[in-house]
Amino acid sequence: MAQRKMIVFPTKNEVSEAMAAYTAKLSAKFIKEKGLFTVVLSGGDLIDWLCKLVQPPYIDSIEWSKWHVFWVDERVCAWEDPDSNYKLAMDGFLSKVPIPDKNIYAIDKHSAADGNAEHCAALYEDCLKNLVKEKIIPISKKTGYPEFDLQLLGMGPDGHMASLFPNHPQINEKQKWVTHITDSPKPPPKRITFTLPVINSALYNLMAICDKPQAKSVAEIMKHNNFSLPSAHLSAQVENVWYLDQAAASEL
Ligand SMILES: O=C(O)[C@H](O)[C@@H](O)[C@H](O)[C@H](O)COP(=O)(O)O
C-alpha cells in the first residue's frame, strides 16, 4: 500500500490548480492505457476546487467522453435537493463538460427520493457489480475489491472521509462495497458510502483539504497517526496524495 505523501500549497487556488493538473495527467494516462478513466467524487467544497478543470487548457484537452464518474458517498435525498452531492457535482462541474449521461453513475433516483438508505447502498453496490461484468471496473488482484483509477476526497473537521465518521461502525465494514448510515453527525443524517477496503483499493487517492477547521485533525493524522480518525486509514494501491492549503497545515 502506498505511503501518504503531503504537499502544502500557499492558498486554495494553488490546491485547485494542482488538483486539476493531477486529474488531467491521470485521465490522459488511463485513457491511453485502457481507453477509459474511472473517477470517484465526494461532496463538499471539493467540487468548487474542481472548477479549473472546466477552464482552459483542460476543458478542451481532456477526453471527457471516456470518463466514468462515481460518488464515494452520497446523501440520501432527491436529486434536486440542495443537499445532493449529485446535484452539486452536476451544477458545478459535470453539466459543463461532455461526459455521456450513461457514464455518470448517480445514486438510484427513486430510492434516494424515498429516503431508503439501506436500499440505495445495495443498489449502488449492484451498479458497481454490473460494471465489473461489463469490464468498466476491474477487480484488483491485490485487494479483491473494485479498483477505481482516481478518487478525489475531502476531510471534515472531525477527520471523517466519505461518510465514514469517527465512532461509527461503518469504518469496520469489510464485506460490503457500499454501506449506509442513518445518523450521520454531518447533516443530512442519511447517506451511502463506499467502505474502507473499496476506498483503499483505488489506484490513486487524492485528499484535498483547505481551511482552518480541519487543521487539528490534519495534525492528529500527520503527527500522531491517530487511527480514531477515519481519514488516517486512507491508503491507495499506487499513490495516496494529500494536498493542503496553509490554513489546513497550520497546526503541523
Ligand atoms: O457528502 C459529504 O459530506 C462529503 O463527501 C464529505 O465526506 C466531505 O468530503 C467532507 O465532509 C469535506 O467536506 P467539506 O469540503 O465541505 O469540508
Side-chain angles (χ1 to χ4, degrees):
M1 286 291 172
Q3 288 285 326
R4 193 188 296 133
K5 283 188 201 165
M6 180 184 76
I7 305 180
V8 181
F9 296 91
T11 69
K12 235 184 247 187
N13 191 48
E14 282 87 359
V15 170
S16 181
E17 272 167 11
M19 273 177 70
Y22 192 81
T23 304
K25 188 185 83 191
L26 290 178
S27 167
K29 166 185 154 61
F30 284 108
I31 291 171
K32 187 166 172 220
E33 283 172 13
K34 58 174 191 173
L36 61 90
F37 182 45
T38 56
V39 191
V40 185
L41 305 176
S42 47
D45 295 338
L46 186 106
I47 300 298
D48 272 355
W49 307 334
L50 287 176
C51 61
K52 305 276 182 217
L53 282 174
V54 300
Q55 295 168 15
Y58 305 114
I59 182 84
D60 303 313
S61 61
I62 288 177
E63 279 192 83
W64 298 106
S65 64
K66 309 280 173 56
W67 276 42
H68 290 259
V69 179
F70 303 84
W71 277 266
V72 69
D73 73 331
E74 178 57 285
R75 292 93 180 269
V76 178
C77 56
W79 281 7
E80 308 75 41
D81 193 298
D83 273 338
S84 160
N85 282 345
Y86 168 78
K87 178 177 164 51
L88 182 75
M90 245 357 213
D91 293 352
F93 172 36
L94 300 174
S95 62
K96 300 177 180 168
V97 293
I99 300 174
D101 287 350
K102 67 174 177 48
N103 292 5
I104 296 178
Y105 307 95
I107 192 168
D108 183 77
K109 190 175 183 168
H110 301 292
S111 304
D114 286 349
N116 188 338
E118 187 171 7
H119 191 50
C120 286
L123 289 176
Y124 208 73
E125 183 162 324
D126 288 348
C127 162
L128 301 185
K129 287 190 168 151
N130 279 330
L131 293 168
V132 169
K133 281 193 203 128
E134 289 174 27
K135 301 200 178 339
I136 305 286
I137 309 171
I139 295 287
S140 160
K141 288 198 183 75
K142 265 198 230 157
T143 69
Y145 290 95
E147 179 181 283
F148 292 94
D149 297 329
L150 170 64
Q151 209 158 222
L152 298 165
L153 297 151
M155 182 179 88
D158 61 355
H160 80 259
M161 65 172 173
S163 286
L164 302 176
F165 292 90
N167 307 313
H168 284 259
Q170 286 77 11
I171 185 86
N172 302 315
E173 175 62 53
K174 295 196 174 54
Q175 302 302 317
K176 293 180 184 159
W177 292 359
V178 183
T179 189
H180 72 286
I181 179 166
T182 53
D183 60 350
S184 160
K186 178 180 179 182
K190 290 191 210 171
R191 292 149 170 264
I192 64 171
T193 180
F194 282 9
T195 56
L196 186 63
V198 173
I199 293 176
N200 283 347
S201 180
L203 293 172
Y204 292 80
N205 269 323
L206 171 55
M207 170 69 93
I209 313 178
C210 297
D211 298 330
K212 186 92 185 150
Q214 275 86 335
K216 273 211 159 49
S217 288
V218 166
E220 276 301 305
I221 294 168
M222 298 297 175
K223 297 208 293 210
H224 309 297
N225 248 330
N226 181 344
F227 283 114
S228 67
L229 305 184
S231 300
H233 295 264
L234 183 65
S235 172
Q237 293 204 55
V238 178
E239 203 160 67
N240 171 18
V241 188
W242 292 49
Y243 284 176
L244 311 181
D245 73 350
Q246 283 290 355
S250 58
E251 306 255 342
L252 290 178

